[in-house]
Structures are given as C-alpha cells and as structure tokens.
Amino acid sequence: MVDLPFTFTLPTPQVIPSKVDNHIERRLSAMQGQFLDQEAFNKMLSVEDRLIYQVYEIKRPEVEGELLMGVSIVHPGKVGSEFFMTKGHFHSVLETSEIYYCLRGEGFMVMETPEGETSVEELSPGKVLYVPPRWAHRSVCTSRQEDLVTFFVYPANAGHDYGTIERQGFRKLVIDGPGGPEIVDNPRYS
Ligand code: F6R
Ligand code: ZN
C-alpha cells in the first residue's frame, strides 16, 4: 500500500504539534555524568528530579527514504553554571544530517565531529540550522525564563549513538559567565 501524504499544524505560540506519536520527557536523573559540576548535579537531584527537556515525535518507519520530525523543548535552568541541555548524540548512521528550525527561545547548538572539529551555533526564533552528516549535536537553552523550542527533521534510518557522548561529553560547554552565555573548553574532555 502506498503511503498517503499527511498534514499537521504547528501553531505558534502553542508549540506542541497537533499530531504526536511519542512524547519523551528527560529528567535530571537521566543526565548523570553529563554536567560538569557533579556536586551541583547531586544537590539539585536530592531536591527534585527536574524536567530538563521534552521531545514530541511524529513517527514514521525507520527506513531509508523516510524522514522523522518533531519538536524539542529544552527548559530554562542551570546545573552549577552550565545551562540545561539535551543529552546530545551522533547519528548511528554517521553520514546522515539534520535540520533544526528554532521556533522560540534562545540558545546554542553544540556540535562536533569524530575527528574533533567543533562548532557552536546560536539559535533564536526564525533561525534554521543545518547539521551536516557526521556532526554530533546537543541543544542548550540559555533563556532565563523561556523554553528553547526547535522543530527538527532527519532521515528515519539515522538511529542514535548516545554512548560516545555519555562517555566523553562534548568538547565545548555553554556556561553562564559574568557577561552572559560563554562557550568554554570542557576541562574533563579526554
Ligand atoms: C534527532 C534529534 C533530536 C533530538 C532531541 C533530543 O536525531 O537530534 O530530535 O533527539 O533534540 O535530544 P537527544 O536525542 O540528544 O536526547
Ligand atoms: Zn539528531
């Protein structure tokens, strides 16, 4: 049977799509080892398992030729001086890309290749970011009060490799400096 085209609406300022097949909630406890300041992490976790980000996915078969899309919402907050962020990942099929369209909020996309090239791009409403094949990516919300909301599209056969980032972290971190958000080297990167 041939798939039929479909539409859905993504009204703004409401950012939850009218069609949602899967809703993911990632809390602080799922981010163990990702933030630099372990003490601040433990302290925050002892008080509350804060909701860090959510993803609304529109499902399609995970095969070549299909596209997956959805909305990612990173909430404002910090662990120590490091802003709330997604776990971040490489695609398992490294040679796959992704497009992000920023709908709301302020932040950055932190990216790197397996060869150690890095790039950090600012996100603000209306901005489209192209993440080329091979680049791991993590969104970081630097708004004080507002969510960072992005719409994303990527090849459905891409898959996710979280392990590499879980082990090593990203080479660059986004922290709250005296003059606002700062991009710094990750001192723990090996
Ligand atoms: C998919 C993709 C986004 C992220 C989402 C949550 O390839 O990059 O949909 O999945 O922003 O981030 P992660 O997956 O790193 O927890
Ligand atoms: Zn991705």
Side-chain angles (χ1 to χ4, degrees), residues 93-141:
V93 180
L94 205 52
E95 301 298 334
T96 52
S97 53
E98 185 154 348
I99 291 168
Y100 279 86
Y101 179 44
C102 183
L103 299 169
R104 209 197 270 185
E106 302 288 332
F108 292 90
M109 189 69 77
V110 176
M111 295 167 282
E112 68 181 48
T113 66
E115 291 74 32
E117 235 178 311
T118 62
S119 172
V120 180
E121 287 289 334
E122 207 164 343
L123 294 171
S124 57
K127 208 155 200 191
V128 178
L129 168 69
Y130 180 65
V131 182
R134 304 182 67 76
W135 288 80
H137 40 283
R138 156 181 285 167
S139 356
V140 181
C141 174

Side-chain angles (χ1 to χ4, degrees), residues 25-185:
E25 285 189 345
R26 267 270 215 244
R27 293 186 177 272
L28 190 63
S29 54
M31 303 287 287
Q32 189 66 251
Q34 296 298 298
F35 290 98
L36 185 63
D37 189 340
Q38 188 64 43
E39 205 179 308
F41 178 91
N42 291 338
K43 199 168 160 202
M44 188 178 257
L45 192 57
S46 70
V47 178
E48 191 193 343
D49 193 7
R50 289 270 299 271
L51 183 60
I52 309 292
Y53 65 99
Q54 310 184 50
V55 184
Y56 292 92
E57 293 180 324
I58 292 116
K59 288 265 180 209
R60 294 294 305 161
E62 295 183 10
V63 298
E64 206 175 332
E66 291 279 356
L67 294 170
L68 294 181
M69 55 199 147
V71 169
S72 158
I73 302 177
V74 186
H75 298 301
K78 287 185 292 181
V79 176
S81 62
E82 203 175 356
F83 291 105
F84 280 7
M85 61 196 185
T86 60
K87 286 181 79 143
H89 56 264
F90 285 95
H91 290 166
S92 309
V93 180
L94 205 52
E95 301 298 334
T96 52
S97 53
E98 185 154 348
I99 291 168
Y100 279 86
Y101 179 44
C102 183
L103 299 169
R104 209 197 270 185
E106 302 288 332
F108 292 90
M109 189 69 77
V110 176
M111 295 167 282
E112 68 181 48
T113 66
E115 291 74 32
E117 235 178 311
T118 62
S119 172
V120 180
E121 287 289 334
E122 207 164 343
L123 294 171
S124 57
K127 208 155 200 191
V128 178
L129 168 69
Y130 180 65
V131 182
R134 304 182 67 76
W135 288 80
H137 40 283
R138 156 181 285 167
S139 356
V140 181
C141 174
T142 56
S143 303
R144 307 277 156 187
Q145 315 227 319
E146 220 184 353
D147 294 331
L148 173 69
V149 183
T150 51
F151 175 73
F152 58 82
V153 191
Y154 66 102
N157 64 322
H160 295 96
D161 162 19
Y162 289 101
T164 307
I165 298 299
E166 276 168 7
R167 280 190 299 277
Q168 306 183 353
F170 276 80
R171 288 172 161 84
K172 298 285 180 189
L173 306 178
V174 185
I175 60 159
D176 194 12
E182 277 177 25
I183 316 298
V184 298
D185 289 334

